[in-house]
């Protein structure tokens, strides 16, 4: 059965040309386009056999670990990988009879957080996160776990989290580690959830700074709101499924013989996950409200600017009307004076004794009439 699964896995992962095919998860994920830092494909990070919560052997290779696990009664293997070669995962899958779908997910990566059970093996995907203060962004990792009756296999596709600290913590508490693979699963989930706290603090600090920028009318704040909203949405996707996963573990605790004390620890992790989920949901609503306020303030500023331009235009129009009115008033006497200033001998009133008073009165009358007309129309 195991051989058939592995052969099916090999054929599933390879196309006609023999090259590893690109999965829908990878093609739909924008982070898959060359964003992984170049590093050598490593193999086993730590490889240990435990009996009653204490390390009894540290095999130097996977075959040694498999052999030691078979020959040591009541033992548990905890094998940690970091970006292993596909062949290494397939070798482990063949040894522990892992389901081909779970193995495919572990090889392809770019999975959402989830927990699937295949027979006696539990497959868990977690999305740890860390806050990068310099870039003001959240760096998301990916961690896959295979939890069986007497083994735990961890496959990391990112730098975080540092599972060596989790291992040291568990080795320092043999009573807890002695409860088996379920205790290791709890410890890893606890570390991942605890790692969300600095991310929440960093996002809260960014939101506080954005609020100051919005009310300070600083340029470029809209872009920062949008970018931070994307980080919050991605963070919500990483943390949202955790609560349902933990509740599922607790609900099935009796069926799979999980210790009562370990169930209490899982409930504590669930409480922390609820707090994180509530904070993240609050962040998303806060950013939406901030974006609305910023849009309103931008619209108000634009309206004020348009109002100022309109007022300036109206003031200019008033000045133009006044200038036009005075120009018309002054044009009337200029017209009369120009006509009587022409050098013609034969002109009416040219030799009239009352010609000069008549011209002056005519100019004064026209100017007065124009002044009264413009005044009534509020041009003056």
């Amino acid at each position: 059965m195991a051989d058939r699964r592995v052969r099916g896995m090999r054929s599933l992962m390879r196309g006609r040309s023999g090259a590893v095919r690109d999965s829908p998860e990878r093609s739909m994920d924008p982070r898959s386009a060359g964003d992984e830092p170049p590093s050598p494909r490593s193999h086993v990070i730590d490889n240990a056999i435990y009996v009653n919560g204490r390390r009894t052997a540290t095999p130097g290779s996977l075959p040694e670990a498999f052999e030691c696990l078979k020959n040591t009664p009541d033992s548990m293997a905890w094998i940690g990988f970091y970006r292993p070669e596909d062949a290494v995962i397939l070798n482990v899958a063949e040894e522990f009879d892992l389901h081909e779908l779970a193995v495919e997910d572990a090889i392809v990566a770019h999975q959402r957080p989830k927990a699937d059970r295949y027979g006696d093996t539990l497959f868990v995907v977690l999305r740890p996160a860390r806050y990068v203060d310099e870039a003001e962004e959240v760096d998301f990792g990916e961690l896959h776990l295979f939890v069986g009756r007497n083994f735990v296999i961890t496959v990391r596709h990112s730098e975080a989290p540092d599972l060596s600290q989790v291992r040291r913590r568990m080795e320092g508490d043999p009573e807890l580690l002695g409860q088996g693979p379920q205790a290791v699963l709890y410890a890893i989930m606890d570390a991942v959830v605890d790692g969300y706290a600095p991310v929440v603090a960093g996002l809260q600090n960014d939101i506080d700074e954005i609020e100051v920028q919005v009310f300070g009318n600083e340029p470029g704040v809209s872009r920062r709101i949008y970018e931070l909203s994307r980080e919050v949405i991605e963070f919500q996707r990483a943390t949202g499924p955790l609560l349902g996963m933990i509740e599922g573990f607790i609900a099935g605790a009796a069926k799979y013989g999980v210790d009562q004390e370990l169930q209490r620890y899982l409930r504590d992790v669930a409480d922390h996950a609820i707090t994180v989920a509530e904070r993240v949901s609050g962040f998303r609503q806060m950013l939406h409200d901030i974006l609305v306020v910023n849009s309103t303030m931008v619209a108000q500023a634009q309206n004020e600017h348009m109002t100022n331009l309109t007022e300036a235009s109206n003031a200019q129009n008033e000045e133009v009307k006044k200038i036009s009115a005075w120009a018309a008033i002054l044009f009337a006497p200029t017209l009369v004076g120009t006509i009587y200033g022409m050098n013609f001998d034969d002109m009416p009133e040219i030799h009239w004794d009352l010609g000069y008073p008549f011209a002056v009165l005519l100019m004064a009358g026209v100017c007065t009439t124009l002044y009264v007309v413009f005044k009534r129309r509020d041009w003056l």
Side-chain angles (χ1 to χ4, degrees), residues 53-99:
R54 300 185 183 278
R55 185 188 289 240
T56 59
T58 305
S61 65
L62 289 177
E64 292 181 16
F66 301 154
E67 189 67 24
C68 186
L69 182 63
K70 292 177 181 178
N71 297 331
T72 306
D74 299 325
S75 60
M76 178 190 73
W78 183 354
I79 305 174
F81 295 102
Y82 173 69
R83 291 181 180 171
E85 297 283 354
D86 297 351
V88 175
I89 297 183
L90 292 174
N91 186 24
V92 174
E94 184 176 3
E95 177 65 29
F96 292 106
D97 193 20
L98 304 180
H99 197 277

Side-chain angles (χ1 to χ4, degrees), residues 297-338:
M297 295 183 67
V298 170
Q300 289 178 347
Q302 292 177 343
N303 291 338
E304 291 177 359
H305 182 64
M306 292 300 297
T307 300
N308 293 335
L309 290 177
T310 302
E311 291 177 352
S313 178
N314 291 337
Q316 291 178 350
N317 290 338
E318 291 297 325
E319 295 297 328
V320 169
K321 288 193 297 185
K322 291 180 180 179
I323 294 173
S324 300
W326 284 114
I329 293 173
L330 295 177
F331 176 73
T334 302
L335 177 62
V336 175
T338 301

Side-chain angles (χ1 to χ4, degrees), residues 184-253:
V184 177
L185 173 62
Y186 147 73
I188 293 176
M189 293 190 69
D190 185 48
V192 171
V193 174
D194 287 346
Y196 292 148
V199 179
V200 171
L203 293 175
Q204 180 66 67
N205 183 66
D206 287 344
I207 292 175
D208 294 340
E209 292 179 356
I210 285 176
E211 288 179 339
V212 174
Q213 288 181 314
V214 167
F215 292 102
N217 295 322
E218 294 188 19
V221 67
S222 297
R223 180 181 181 86
R224 189 178 182 189
I225 295 173
Y226 173 74
E227 291 176 348
L228 189 60
S229 296
R230 292 185 60 186
E231 297 293 331
V232 170
I233 291 173
E234 186 71 15
F235 192 35
Q236 193 171 38
R237 290 174 180 169
T239 59
L242 278 178
L243 184 58
M245 292 165 54
I246 299 173
E247 289 178 348
F249 296 156
I250 297 175

Side-chain angles (χ1 to χ4, degrees), residues 332-355:
T334 302
L335 177 62
V336 175
T338 301
I339 292 175
Y340 283 95
M342 292 186 296
N343 298 320
F344 292 101
D345 291 334
D346 189 9
M347 287 184 63
E349 300 93 19
I350 194 69
H351 298 291
W352 186 30
D353 293 340
L354 298 177

Side-chain angles (χ1 to χ4, degrees), residues 22 89 158-159 162 176 197 226 253 287 305:
D22 196 10
I89 297 183
S158 58
E159 296 293 337
D162 184 5
L176 179 60
Y226 173 74
L287 287 171
H305 182 64

